[in-house]
């Protein structure tokens, strides 16, 4: 699979152009069971990678593994927090591999054609970036109105400079690509074909938000902002039939916050 930067600049190959005529992002070559399996695998990899890494760290440092200790250790030990964040990287890499296999059938199909990795007529880079900024401002307004409380993620971010940098990297580099491929690239079109556009938009938006609930459950305002982001991204996918605008909106949304986080030590959202 091409990197995001390459995908934004390279022109489709002759083989890709031929496949554009036969592959429809809204009628993907995978079914709903496969899409659900990919989503479940992404969640399992994310959770298991962090648990295994933390269990290893706790055993090395404290000589015993108590499941109840893991979350507490992350908050009390800055190194444990960093270990849990670093463990996300291999989970994301494995998820990308699974997504690529599912989308291209081991490279036999065009990635661009299968997921709609191109700009829409009415949703190009500038429009996508402006929408990302608008969503960021709307999220900030929601938080301002309803107030803000510290979350588990906030405490991890403040545990060390390394943890802050790791969160910024994950948010800006790997999370937007992984999440858009899984939720809007693979899960949405399979659901849309099975239950229709409206039901698919609502279902994917809800699933995406629920997966983020653990991070932001202590702050309802931030969770509402995440729900708005999720719904907006899924509506863009539904209306344009393209995944690239969704990825770029998500990337800009997270990248701006990553820069703010690194520059001003503010909590990261999204």
């Amino acid at each position: 699979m091409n990197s995001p930067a390459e995908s934004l600049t390279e022109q489709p190959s002759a083989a890709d152009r031929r496949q554009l005529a036969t592959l429809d992002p809204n009628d993907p070559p995978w079914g709903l069971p496969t899409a659900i399996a990919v989503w479940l695998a992404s969640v399992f990899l994310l959770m298991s990678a962090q648990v295994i890494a933390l269990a290893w760290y706790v055993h090395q440092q404290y000589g015993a593994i108590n499941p109840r200790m893991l979350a507490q250790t992350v908050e009390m030990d800055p190194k444990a927090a960093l270990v849990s964040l670093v463990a996300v990287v291999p989970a994301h890499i494995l998820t990308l591999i699974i997504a690529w296999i599912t989308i291209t059938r081991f490279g036999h199909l065009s990635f661009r054609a299968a997921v709609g990795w191109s700009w829409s007529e009415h949703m190009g880079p500038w429009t996508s970036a402006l929408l990302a900024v608008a969503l960021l401002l709307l999220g900030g307004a929601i938080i301002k109105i309803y107030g803000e409380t510290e979350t588990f993620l906030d405490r991890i971010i403040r545990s060390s400079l390394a943890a802050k940098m790791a969160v910024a990297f994950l948010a800006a580099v790997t999370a937007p690509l992984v999440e858009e491929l899984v939720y809007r690239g693979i899960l949405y079109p399979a659901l849309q074909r099975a239950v229709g556009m409206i039901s698919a938009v609502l279902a994917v938006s809800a699933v995406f938000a629920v997966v983020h609930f653990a991070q932001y459950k202590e702050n309802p305002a931030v969770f509402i902002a995440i729900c708005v982001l999720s719904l907006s991204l899924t509506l863009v996918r539904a209306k344009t039939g393209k995944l690239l605008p969704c990825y770029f909106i998500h990337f800009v949304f997270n990248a701006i916050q990553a820069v703010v986080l690194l520059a001003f030590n503010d909590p990261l959202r999204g």
Side-chain angles (χ1 to χ4, degrees):
M1 184 178 67
N2 294 325
S3 69
E6 291 172 338
S7 300
L8 288 170
T9 58
E10 288 184 357
Q11 295 298 316
S13 66
D16 280 351
R17 287 195 294 270
R18 286 195 298 271
Q19 288 184 331
L20 280 168
T22 58
L23 286 175
D24 181 357
N26 288 323
D27 187 21
W30 58 84
L32 185 56
T34 298
I36 293 174
V38 171
W39 171 69
L40 289 173
S42 71
V43 175
F44 172 78
L45 286 170
L46 188 61
M47 295 177 62
S48 61
Q50 291 182 290
V51 169
I52 291 170
L54 277 174
W56 171 83
Y57 177 81
V58 169
H59 178 72
Q60 293 295 315
Q61 293 295 117
Y62 305 105
I65 300 176
N66 183 345
R68 223 176 245 187
M69 285 178 57
L70 296 183
Q72 295 174 347
T73 304
V74 170
E75 292 201 54
M76 295 186 301
D77 186 341
K79 289 183 179 179
L82 183 59
V83 166
S84 70
L85 291 171
V86 171
V88 174
V89 175
H92 277 177
I93 291 173
L94 288 173
T95 301
L96 286 174
I97 292 172
I98 292 172
W100 179 82
I101 290 171
T102 301
I103 293 165
T104 70
R105 293 186 176 177
F106 291 93
H108 292 98
L109 298 176
S110 165
F111 171 82
R112 287 186 176 94
V115 299
W117 195 260
S118 58
W119 298 111
S120 165
E121 181 182 356
H122 302 293
M123 189 64 71
W126 286 109
T127 307
S128 300
L130 288 173
L131 180 55
V133 172
L135 289 170
L136 196 56
L137 293 174
L138 178 59
I142 292 171
I143 295 168
K144 188 75 172 177
I145 292 170
Y146 290 98
E148 184 173 11
T149 56
E150 189 177 58
T151 66
F152 181 69
L153 180 59
D154 294 336
R155 294 190 288 275
I156 291 179
I157 290 171
R158 293 193 176 102
S159 65
S160 69
L161 176 60
K164 182 172 70 170
M165 293 177 67
V167 170
F169 172 82
L170 292 170
V173 178
T174 62
L177 181 59
V178 171
E179 292 177 348
E180 290 312 310
L181 282 178
V182 171
Y183 288 90
R184 259 88 38 187
I186 294 175
L187 186 59
Y188 171 79
L191 266 171
Q192 186 268 337
R193 185 170 56 194
V195 301
M197 179 186 292
I198 295 176
S199 296
V201 167
L202 294 176
V204 171
S205 300
V207 170
F208 180 86
V210 168
V211 168
H212 288 77
F213 178 74
Q215 287 179 321
Y216 304 116
K217 63 182 179 181
E218 297 164 295
N219 193 332
V222 175
F223 182 67
I224 292 172
I226 294 300
C227 291
V228 172
L229 172 66
S230 177
L231 179 60
S232 301
L233 290 170
T234 313
L235 282 171
V236 168
R237 171 61 182 83
K239 291 298 184 180
T240 65
K242 307 292 185 180
L243 185 64
L244 182 55
C246 301
Y247 161 73
F248 198 65
I249 293 166
H250 200 158
F251 165 72
V252 173
F253 184 93
N254 280 16
I256 292 173
Q257 294 180 89
V259 171
V260 171
L261 173 68
L262 294 174
F264 302 105
N265 199 34
D266 284 347
L268 191 76
R269 311 295 181 199

